[in-house]
Amino acid sequence: MPSNYNDGYNNRNLYDRNRGYSYQKRDLDECVREGFLEKENGIIKNTFLFSDTAKNVAELLQKTNMKTTQVRKFYDEFVHYADVVGDKNENIDRYLPAINMIYAKVCYAKTKPTSKVHQAFVDFIKLLIDEINKTKDLANAKLFFESVYAFLDL
């Protein structure tokens, strides 16, 4: 077996037979860096997060042939939790398990034979959820998802 047989997830080329797009995790990594919601003095460092970065992610997701309704379904979940946590000024720790459950739902949706959910979208959701630690992070993740959704032309 070659030494690079299992070099990690980032180098794996994923081609979904029914989805028709050859995707590599590094495609998404090039669009969005880890810590993309990072703030300095309460202000997001990446000044192009809601414009250029969101557009690049949207262009990547457009190649996947996903349906708008599927993307909207998961966006609505982010909106729901952002509203619940923000409106009640609740501690986000109470809702983090449910927010993390969104990732499980996306993974489950991908496994259905008729699903058009693509691995690129699964990775995008995972990336968003991994950035959420505080109430403001959830609000920013929701806004970023909203920006990506706005640029989608599925």
Side-chain angles (χ1 to χ4, degrees):
M1 202 171 283
S3 64
N4 64 352
Y5 173 71
N6 192 11
D7 268 356
Y9 182 71
N10 288 341
N11 295 327
R12 189 169 65 181
N13 187 337
L14 301 171
Y15 181 81
D16 289 322
R17 172 170 46 100
N18 297 327
R19 294 166 182 88
Y21 168 55
S22 181
Y23 162 75
Q24 294 182 346
K25 173 99 170 42
R26 68 174 172 249
D27 294 344
L28 184 63
D29 292 342
E30 288 173 8
C31 293
V32 182
R33 303 280 181 233
E34 188 175 317
F36 69 99
L37 289 178
E38 192 174 322
K39 293 174 281 309
E40 188 175 288
N41 297 329
I43 298 171
I44 294 178
K45 282 184 176 182
N46 181 355
T47 56
F48 300 104
L49 181 66
F50 300 119
S51 57
D52 297 344
T53 305
K55 186 175 183 178
N56 291 339
V57 172
E59 288 171 356
L60 177 71
L61 293 176
Q62 279 180 309
K63 297 176 187 176
T64 66
N65 297 326
M66 282 187 62
K67 300 284 184 196
T68 307
T69 54
Q70 288 179 315
V71 176
R72 182 67 191 207
K73 173 185 171 183
F74 296 109
Y75 168 70
D76 286 343
E77 290 206 35
F78 272 89
V79 170
H80 168 72
Y81 287 112
D83 289 347
V84 167
V85 173
D87 288 347
K88 295 180 180 178
N89 290 325
E90 296 257 0
N91 185 351
I92 193 166
D93 293 338
R94 179 176 174 195
Y95 293 96
L96 279 177
I99 293 166
N100 283 305
M101 185 72 174
I102 296 171
Y103 174 66
K105 290 177 181 180
V106 172
C107 290
Y108 176 72
K110 185 183 181 307
T111 64
K112 293 182 181 178
T114 58
S115 173
K116 297 255 187 205
V117 173
H118 193 277
Q119 185 63 41
F121 186 69
V122 173
D123 292 340
F124 169 67
I125 294 297
K126 177 70 174 153
L127 192 70
L128 272 180
I129 290 174
D130 285 349
E131 292 292 320
I132 299 171
N133 297 312
K134 297 181 248 170
T135 304
K136 192 65 177 165
D137 295 339
L138 177 59
N140 288 333
K142 182 202 86 151
L143 287 173
F144 182 66
F145 198 162
E146 182 178 342
S147 299
V148 169
Y149 188 76
F151 282 114
L152 281 177
D153 186 26
L154 298 177

